[in-house]
């Protein structure tokens, strides 16, 4: 008889977490889109998203040098919206689209700082309806900030709007402060548990069962009636058919305090350890910012801590809901949504940012970036990454111009004709208000800006440069940017000669430099 082979020792594999929410039948989720969010949002149907969080570049005049851990490439990451008007003009159409895709039961959070928050609030009131503004949340993002002649700015602002008066809301709580416990939960049991007394009666006489005697106590003689707080009924899962039976259940659970003096009315014992905590208010000081040694830190300049996004998602969505971040940067909102069993969509214009957040989803959430798994409801995908020179050669000229201008951090022209040789403008961080002249729109427009000229050519020649020189001279600009696939030697020679005779700088950029994100050193 053959001997049986000994059984191999097996290790139990951890079961994958069960996902509550099914994939949406209306739109694709677990997708990162690389591109301008204005274009991507236009493709989404109306009223399809449950929660929107955005953390757009602040109008903060700050330069960041970012060292990306994935590609080891160093690039400049700048807030270029030095003009408040330019910033609002950039954000307004995007917020209009975000309001369009938000469900009536949904919520919208706009994260910003003090530089333009007051202008942002006015814009959002116009778009989302000021009556649907719920809160201005203050998040203390740092412990101290040195300012020689003013108070140190240490907080960010989150504006919270909803799609209607009927929206998803899950109250969030903080632990009780020790001083609060000492003051309000002043009673203790023999085992040390803290509690406070709450009324079991309400003002006024009732003639139903709430007015009947219980344990020989006639509350109507005191001008009151029995009233069990809803929190106690829920907490102790009372099932009695009459009010007196439910009072018996509370007493059996040890939740009633009986006074020593005769004729005293019993009261409810509300234990601190049975309470959810203090309801979350509009000032958040308990979520610490990321420090330089944090394991969570990726090197992204405006990266927000994961607990901040988890709090927002818990409060304003349910498992299976769709979360959208249209400026998702390094993907903190996506990681939080995935961890909390929400569906999600991310959009960012930076190919580098899209690569970083994809790696983060793989490393942190253990998701696989795989088309087949995604179709089966398990993986995720990145769309429209990257642009290629071949694709850019094939798209319409005006679309190519918009791509180039946005990739440089500029603002493209809205019209295809009548641009007078200017395809877009970059507003540098050092821009200063115009001293005189007409007021443009709601704000005094910034007069310092750099023109951008874009040519969808294999090689821009000297005539193209000559034409842009005329624009530079006419507009009295000290610096301008030119984009093409390549340049003839005559064109580069003319750029050098123009600088020597006029001290005006034309910076030639190739499409390859933009795609490889090697343009930072030329943009300063």
């Amino acid at each position: 008889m053959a001997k049986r082979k000994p059984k191999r020792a097996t290790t139990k594999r951890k079961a994958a977490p069960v996902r509550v929410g099914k994939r949406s039948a209306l739109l694709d989720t677990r997708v990162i889109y690389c591109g301008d969010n204005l274009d991507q949002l236009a493709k989404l149907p109306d009223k399809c998203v449950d929660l929107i969080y955005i953390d757009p570049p602040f109008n903060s005049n700050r330069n960041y040098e970012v060292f990306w851990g994935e590609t080891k490439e160093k690039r400049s990451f700048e807030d270029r919206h030095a003009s408040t008007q330019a910033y609002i003009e950039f954000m307004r159409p995007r917020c209009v689209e975000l309001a369009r895709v938000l469900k009536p039961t949904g919520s919208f959070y706009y994260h910003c700082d003090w530089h333009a928050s007051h202008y942002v609030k006015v814009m959002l009131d116009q778009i989302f309806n000021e009556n649907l503004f719920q809160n201005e949340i203050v998040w203390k993002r740092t412990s101290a900030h040195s300012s020689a002649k003013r108070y140190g700015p240490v907080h960010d602002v989150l504006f919270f709007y909803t799609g209607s008066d009927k929206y998803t809301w899950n109250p969030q709580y903080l632990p009780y402060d020790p001083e609060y416990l000492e003051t309000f939960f002043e009673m203790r049991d023999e085992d040390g548990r803290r509690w406070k007394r709450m009324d079991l009666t309400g003002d006024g006489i009732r003639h139903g069962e709430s007015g009947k005697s219980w344990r020989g106590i006639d509350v109507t003689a005191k001008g009151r009636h029995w009233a069990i707080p809803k929190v106690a009924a829920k907490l102790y899962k009372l099932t009695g058919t009459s009010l007196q039976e439910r009072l018996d259940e509370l007493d059996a659970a040890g939740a009633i305090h009986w006074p020593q003096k005769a004729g005293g009315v019993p009261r409810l014992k509300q234990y601190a350890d049975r309470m959810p905590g203090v309801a979350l208010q509009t000032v958040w000081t308990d979520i610490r910012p990321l420090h330089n040694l944090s394991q969570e830190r990726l090197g992204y300049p405006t990266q927000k801590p994961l607990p901040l996004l988890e709090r927002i998602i818990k409060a304003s969505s349910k498992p299976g809901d769709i979360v959208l971040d249209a400026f998702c940067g390094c993907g903190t909102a996506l990681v939080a949504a995935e961890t909390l069993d929400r569906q999600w969509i991310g959009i960012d214009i930076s190919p580098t940012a899209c690569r970083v957040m994809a790696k983060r989803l793989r490393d942190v959430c253990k998701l696989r970036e795989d088309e087949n798994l995604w179709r089966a409801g398990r993986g995720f995908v990145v769309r429209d990454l990257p642009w290629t020179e071949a694709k850019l050669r094939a798209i319409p000229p005006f679309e190519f111009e918009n791509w180039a201008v946005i990739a440089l951090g500029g603002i493209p022209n809205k019209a295809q004709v009548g641009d007078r040789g200017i395809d877009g403008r970059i507003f540098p961080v050092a821009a200063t208000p115009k001293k005189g002249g007409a007021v443009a729109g709601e704000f005094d427009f910034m007069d310092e800006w750099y023109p951008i000229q874009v040519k969808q050519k294999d090689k821009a020649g000297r005539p193209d440069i000559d034409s842009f020189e005329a624009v530079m001279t006419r507009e009295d600009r000290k610096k301008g940017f030119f984009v093409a696939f390549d340049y003839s030697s005559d064109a580069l020679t003319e750029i050098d000669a123009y600088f020597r005779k006029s001290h005006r700088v034309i910076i030639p950029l190739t499409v390859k430099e933009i795609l490889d994100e090697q343009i930072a050193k030329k943009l300063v």
Side-chain angles (χ1 to χ4, degrees), residues 121-395:
K121 174 64 167 60
V122 172
M123 175 188 70
L124 295 179
D125 280 349
Q126 296 168 348
I127 295 171
F128 285 88
N129 186 341
E130 61 188 273
N131 294 324
L132 296 176
F133 170 68
Q134 303 300 336
N135 288 116
E136 177 182 349
I137 299 164
V138 173
W139 172 50
K140 186 180 179 183
R141 59 176 170 78
T142 183
S143 57
H145 187 91
S146 298
S147 293
K149 295 185 178 181
R150 60 175 181 168
Y151 303 110
V154 296
H155 75 279
D156 284 354
V157 171
L158 291 95
F159 293 121
F160 169 34
Y161 289 79
T162 56
S164 71
D165 292 328
K166 297 180 180 179
Y167 54 92
T168 299
W169 179 247
N170 307 307
Q172 302 296 299
Y173 300 91
L174 296 177
Y176 290 119
D177 182 87
E179 184 177 348
Y180 178 87
L181 289 174
E182 287 283 349
T183 303
F184 293 97
F185 290 87
E186 76 282 7
M187 311 298 290
R188 285 179 182 265
D189 280 347
E190 292 180 0
D191 59 3
R193 292 180 69 195
R194 287 185 173 276
W195 55 276
K196 67 178 180 179
R197 288 168 288 198
M198 286 187 68
D199 283 336
L200 277 171
T201 63
D203 190 34
I205 295 174
R206 299 288 185 271
H207 298 290
E209 67 177 25
S210 64
K212 294 180 180 179
S213 296
W214 176 67
R215 302 283 180 92
I217 302 170
D218 181 10
V219 289
T220 60
K222 301 178 183 293
R224 301 182 70 79
H225 64 277
W226 296 111
I228 299 175
K230 289 182 179 179
V231 64
K234 183 177 180 181
L235 186 62
Y236 290 96
K237 300 177 181 178
L238 305 182
T239 59
T241 55
S242 69
L243 189 143
Q244 283 70 21
E245 289 177 354
R246 293 194 291 276
L247 287 170
D248 285 335
E249 290 180 58
L250 284 176
D251 192 30
I256 291 182
H257 168 65
W258 290 91
Q260 292 182 353
K261 72 175 185 176
V265 178
R267 303 182 75 183
L268 177 70
K269 296 172 70 173
Q270 188 180 60
Y271 285 95
D273 59 13
R274 299 293 298 271
M275 299 301 295
V278 181
L280 189 62
Q281 308 296 301
T282 56
V283 178
W284 298 356
T285 60
D286 61 312
I287 298 179
R288 297 177 62 84
L290 296 174
H291 57 77
N292 291 334
L293 300 179
S294 173
Q295 291 185 342
E296 186 184 334
R297 191 173 185 86
L298 299 174
Y300 193 80
T302 58
Q303 181 180 349
K304 301 303 182 291
L306 194 59
L308 182 70
L309 274 300
E310 288 176 338
R311 173 172 291 176
I312 291 169
I313 291 172
K314 287 177 182 177
S316 294
S317 68
K318 306 182 298 294
D321 280 355
I322 298 174
V323 177
L324 167 66
D325 186 348
F327 294 86
C328 55
C330 59
T332 302
L334 309 190
V335 172
E338 178 64 29
T339 303
L340 295 172
D341 194 17
R342 272 66 167 174
Q343 302 178 75
W344 50 263
I345 300 169
I347 308 173
D348 201 279
I349 198 168
S350 166
T352 299
C354 292
R355 288 195 295 265
V356 168
M357 72 181 82
K359 183 177 187 297
R360 190 178 183 187
L361 286 165
R362 294 193 301 268
D363 293 347
V364 177
C365 300
K366 307 305 178 185
L367 279 181
R368 288 180 58 185
E369 185 180 350
D370 184 278
E371 183 80 25
N372 292 329
L373 281 176
W374 173 75
R375 291 187 182 281
R378 296 198 299 274
F380 76 98
V381 291
V382 182
R383 294 280 184 248
D384 305 325
L385 174 69
W387 285 85
T388 63
E389 289 190 62
K391 180 178 178 180
L392 290 168
R393 281 188 169 90
I395 65 175

Side-chain angles (χ1 to χ4, degrees), residues 69-110:
E70 182 183 43
T71 60
K72 304 297 184 185
E73 70 183 13
K74 193 174 183 180
R75 64 187 287 254
S76 177
F77 183 92
E78 297 182 344
D79 285 347
R80 295 194 175 276
H81 303 289
S83 159
T84 300
Q85 176 173 333
Y87 177 72
I88 296 299
E89 285 185 350
F90 175 80
M91 289 305 305
R92 184 182 296 278
R94 287 158 174 80
C95 288
V96 168
E97 285 295 307
L98 291 168
R100 179 184 64 80
V101 303
L102 184 66
K103 289 182 180 178
T105 54
S107 298
F108 171 80
Y109 289 80
Y110 190 119

